[in-house]
Amino acid sequence: MKAKEIMVRQVYKVKEEDTVRAVIEKFLSHRISGLPVVNDRNEVVAYISDGDIMRYIGKHDDYIFGSYLYTAVIKGDNNEFQDRVRNLLPLNVMKIAQKKVIAVDAEEDIEQIAAILGKKRIKKLPVLNRGVLVGIISRGDVIRHSFQSIL
């Protein structure tokens, strides 16, 4: 079975010039946890997930490092949680999205897709045809299509 046979063709996505507010609105309205970020040619340039949001709004501790000659402290957060949440919304999505995107070709076999999802510990894979986004495959899609005929 190939990616093109099990992928979801209706892909929710955001443009690279969108704000994080647009991402959060799509997360909430469509009950999803990740979105490909595309350019004007519908090529995937990044991926943003709920984990990226959590890393931004979560508390950042002070980081202390030093050597024999000096010690430096990089201050963590002085802002309150609600301030970090509000400050995130107007940011450009590319400020926090992951630019190194793992994707699969529409002709990729399901067993290779399962291996990638498992080894890389990711939830979804954008599906590309000649570099253009044509679908998305989640862990659930692989499970459903792998086991539905034998259960």
Side-chain angles (χ1 to χ4, degrees):
M1 192 172 297
K2 305 284 185 191
K4 65 184 179 184
E5 299 172 76
I6 65 170
M7 69 184 186
V8 173
R9 285 175 170 72
Q10 181 184 4
V11 182
Y12 300 111
K13 58 193 171 190
V14 290
K15 296 271 190 177
E16 61 187 335
E17 61 271 2
D18 284 342
T19 64
V20 175
R21 177 182 294 278
V23 171
I24 300 295
E25 288 171 350
K26 287 190 180 189
F27 281 5
L28 298 175
S29 65
H30 301 296
R31 300 179 59 96
I32 56 176
S33 61
L35 291 165
V37 181
V38 297
N39 62 18
D40 290 335
R41 294 180 303 279
N42 208 37
E43 299 164 329
V44 178
V45 295
Y47 194 89
I48 186 160
S49 70
D50 53 0
D52 300 316
I53 304 296
M54 294 302 109
R55 280 186 287 282
Y56 186 90
I57 64 174
K59 179 76 173 155
H60 300 103
D61 295 328
D62 292 348
Y63 179 71
I64 301 170
F65 64 96
S67 69
Y68 292 113
L69 301 175
Y70 68 93
T71 300
V73 177
I74 298 173
K75 292 297 284 175
D77 293 313
N78 291 327
N79 297 347
E80 294 294 323
F81 179 74
Q82 286 302 320
D83 292 334
R84 289 193 303 273
V85 169
R86 273 191 285 286
N87 292 340
L88 174 64
L89 294 176
L91 285 182
N92 177 276
V93 66
M94 294 301 287
K95 294 261 188 212
I96 66 168
Q98 299 298 312
K99 281 103 181 151
K100 184 177 178 185
V101 180
I102 300 170
V104 294
D105 188 80
E107 294 295 327
E108 191 67 73
D109 288 321
I110 192 170
E111 66 182 307
Q112 184 62 27
I113 295 165
I116 293 168
L117 289 167
K119 287 178 188 171
K120 298 293 184 179
R121 296 182 180 194
I122 53 179
K123 297 176 186 175
K124 296 178 183 172
L125 284 171
V127 180
L128 309 177
N129 184 12
R130 296 184 181 163
V132 175
L133 180 66
V134 293
I136 198 152
I137 295 178
S138 70
R139 291 176 182 181
D141 298 327
V142 173
I143 297 290
R144 265 188 302 286
H145 287 85
S146 298
F147 292 96
Q148 69 185 2
S149 64
I150 60 173
L151 291 178

